Amino acid sequence: MNAAHPPPIPSGRPQNPCMPTWIIVLIVLGVAGFIGIFAIGMLAAIAIPNFVKARQTAQTNACINQLRSIQAAKNQWALENKKKQTEIPKEIEVTPHLKAGGLPTCPAGGNYMINAVDENPTCSVPKHQLPFGPEFHPPLSP
């Protein structure tokens, strides 16, 4: 070996013309991350409207059940006090016949109107209404 010539210094560029493996790993992780974010976004786009619709349906059903209890309380008030079907009870007259001891509140923030005994109670929120049927109104007395 000749002592006058030192060994060659590497130039810093890899001898292999392909990309270094750490760059390939970063690219693969980045692509996988974008695919994961896209998948989560798609799942959220599908799930969120379904959750909103389920919440609205639950609020509608709860309101209709409360309207049923108000109608039952009106019927009981009319029977106990021998009132005509066309009379409108006051809130204070109906509340003793309700479970909670007071007029319930609509879960969607609507306001209840008691109405006459022979009319269904109503809610100010659209689609929150009792279906008309004989089970909600007692037969009119002659």
Side-chain angles (χ1 to χ4, degrees):
M1 181 141 187
N2 189 351
H5 297 290
I9 299 174
S11 66
R13 283 182 49 194
Q15 299 297 325
N16 188 350
C18 295
M19 281 196 272
T21 54
W22 61 272
I23 293 178
I24 294 173
V25 169
L26 288 177
I27 291 173
V28 169
L29 288 177
V31 170
F34 283 126
I35 291 172
I37 291 170
F38 177 76
I40 290 170
M42 289 299 292
L43 289 174
I46 293 168
I48 290 173
N50 289 332
F51 289 137
V52 170
K53 185 177 180 186
R55 180 176 180 230
Q56 289 172 344
T57 302
Q59 287 178 341
T60 301
N61 290 338
C63 181
I64 289 171
N65 286 332
Q66 290 175 356
L67 290 171
R68 284 186 181 122
S69 67
I70 293 170
Q71 183 62 40
K74 289 190 321 182
N75 290 337
Q76 189 172 355
W77 169 81
L79 288 172
E80 286 179 1
N81 298 297
K82 298 180 181 167
K83 300 290 184 176
K84 294 180 182 177
Q85 295 291 311
T86 55
E87 292 193 45
I88 301 173
K90 296 177 184 160
E91 182 179 333
I92 196 164
E93 296 171 322
V94 174
T95 53
H97 303 287
L98 294 169
K99 240 183 196 180
L103 198 64
T105 57
C106 176
N111 296 317
Y112 291 134
M113 294 293 296
I114 295 176
N115 298 331
V117 176
D118 64 347
E119 295 178 37
N120 284 333
T122 57
C123 179
S124 61
V125 177
K127 296 185 181 179
H128 286 203
Q129 60 188 8
L130 280 175
F132 186 75
E135 64 273 10
F136 301 112
H137 300 294
L140 295 175
S141 9

